[in-house]
Amino acid sequence: MEKSNKELIRESYGYLKDLSELVSDEYEYRFDAPATEEEIQNWETENKIQIPSMLKEWLLLTKNCDMANRCWQLYFPEIDEDEPENVLVGSFIGDGEYLYFSGKSGQFFIVFDGEVEEYDSFDSVLTSISVDLEEKAEEIFGEDWLEEFEE
């Protein structure tokens, strides 16, 4: 049986939070309180933009978060002033790489130095973050990092 968006996002959230805790001696992290359904609905109504369902599920777990010393930041949607059809929801690596979704299509993409790279879904974004945190765990704990993680 295929998992629902809610189940997928809850699993990703738990995994990212646990990975962040594992590497917390070297990398700071923060997961804020969740957004409310009302906050999300008010934002959608005010901006006349539908937040993609997976991102909504994420926001219901944390409104804003920083992982790996703010290398990975996800936050409550903000309309891009220069391109109002694009909605800013994250900042990566701290070097000007930003995560958006299209207010028209719901497509997630990053922009860095004028280059655009699309993601299949918000879940793909979370997978990219997971891979980076796993690499950081391996740098700290070596190849057996997973054993440390599972303890």
Side-chain angles (χ1 to χ4, degrees):
M1 191 169 110
E2 203 169 303
K3 293 180 182 178
S4 70
N5 284 348
K6 186 174 190 171
E7 291 170 319
L8 280 171
I9 295 302
R10 284 187 179 277
E11 278 182 16
S12 292
Y13 172 84
Y15 185 65
L16 287 170
K17 200 166 182 185
D18 290 347
L19 271 173
S20 293
E21 175 65 30
L22 178 68
V23 299
S24 65
D25 285 348
E26 299 286 329
Y27 299 97
E28 292 179 25
Y29 73 98
R30 186 190 91 235
F31 285 79
D32 289 350
T36 65
E37 291 269 1
E38 184 179 15
E39 284 177 290
I40 292 169
Q41 288 171 347
N42 288 344
W43 188 92
E44 289 178 324
T45 301
E46 181 181 313
N47 294 290
K48 297 177 182 69
I49 294 174
Q50 197 71 25
I51 297 172
S53 63
M54 285 185 154
L55 178 57
K56 271 188 206 180
E57 292 300 334
W58 179 266
L59 293 170
L60 290 169
L61 297 169
T62 181
K63 190 173 180 177
N64 299 291
C65 68
D66 298 330
M67 294 167 276
N69 292 344
R70 301 180 78 178
C71 281
W72 301 99
Q73 296 178 293
L74 296 170
Y75 33 82
F76 198 77
E78 302 171 16
I79 299 295
D80 185 312
E81 293 175 10
D82 297 328
E83 296 187 46
E85 68 278 359
N86 293 335
V87 182
L88 180 64
V89 292
S91 172
F92 296 163
I93 319 299
D95 61 1
E97 190 168 328
Y98 293 98
L99 175 68
Y100 296 88
F101 74 84
S102 165
K104 294 177 181 176
S105 69
Q107 175 78 46
F108 285 91
F109 60 96
I110 55 171
V111 176
F112 179 65
D113 276 347
E115 299 289 317
V116 175
E117 181 183 332
E118 293 185 348
Y119 283 94
D120 293 337
S121 67
F122 185 66
D123 191 46
S124 297
V125 172
L126 298 179
T127 298
S128 294
I129 297 170
S130 295
V131 168
D132 181 69
L133 291 177
E134 289 167 357
E135 289 171 358
K136 287 175 176 18
E138 188 172 335
E139 287 172 14
I140 296 168
F141 298 103
E143 290 181 19
D144 298 331
W145 73 269
L146 199 53
E147 291 173 17
E148 188 78 27
F149 180 70
E150 292 173 347
E151 286 180 10

